[in-house]
Amino acid sequence: QVQLVESGGGLVQPGGSLRLSCATSGFTLDYYAIGWFRQAPGKEREGVSCISSTGASIWYTDSVKGRFTISRDNAKNTVYLQMNSLRPEDTAVYYCAASGFTIASPEEALYDYWGQGTQVTVSS
């Protein structure tokens, strides 16, 4: 059974940090790229960051460049998103997803499996 489970979300003040984790099971993570996506109320879901199957290639959306860092540990079947200097506009439900294509791409059609999401709220 393929599963992706996000954790690490919560409430944080502007300027604070959170680290999200995506624990995977039921497939061989080595062969899958992983993407982080987010959806805020009233907005379309958007790609945040993606990492290729080997970790050699990484993509970030412009609004998080310099603040967020994606990484993966295939041996632990886990992908991480370190989020620093958080802003209120980062508030959203964050999802991780797995793609059978090995490249780091935010195109949602490439992603076969999705987690349930974890809430991130940035507020004073």
Side-chain angles (χ1 to χ4, degrees):
Q1 182 178 356
V2 172
Q3 289 190 350
L4 290 83
V5 180
E6 303 93 337
S7 62
L11 175 65
V12 65
Q13 294 185 354
S17 298
L18 287 172
R19 188 178 76 158
L20 305 184
S21 298
C22 176
T24 71
S25 61
F27 64 100
T28 303
L29 187 59
D30 303 41
Y31 304 138
Y32 287 79
I34 297 293
W36 285 97
F37 300 81
R38 67 186 180 188
Q39 188 166 27
K43 294 185 177 181
E44 294 288 317
R45 188 164 60 195
E46 65 172 343
V48 178
S49 183
C50 305
I51 187 167
S52 64
S53 57
T54 65
S57 297
I58 289 172
W59 174 90
Y60 298 99
T61 192
D62 286 346
S63 65
V64 309
K65 288 180 179 177
R67 300 189 297 121
F68 291 11
T69 303
I70 191 171
S71 62
R72 66 188 295 157
D73 188 338
N74 288 358
K76 295 182 178 179
N77 296 316
T78 303
V79 179
Y80 305 95
L81 185 67
Q82 178 67 45
M83 306 186 295
N84 299 327
S85 302
L86 283 162
R87 305 166 181 169
E89 53 263 41
D90 295 317
T91 296
V93 177
Y94 284 71
Y95 302 88
C96 65
S99 171
F101 295 87
T102 60
I103 62 172
S105 171
E107 185 176 350
E108 291 192 16
L110 300 179
Y111 291 84
D112 303 304
Y113 310 117
W114 292 78
Q116 82 293 335
T118 186
Q119 177 71 48
V120 172
T121 302
V122 185
S123 180
S124 299

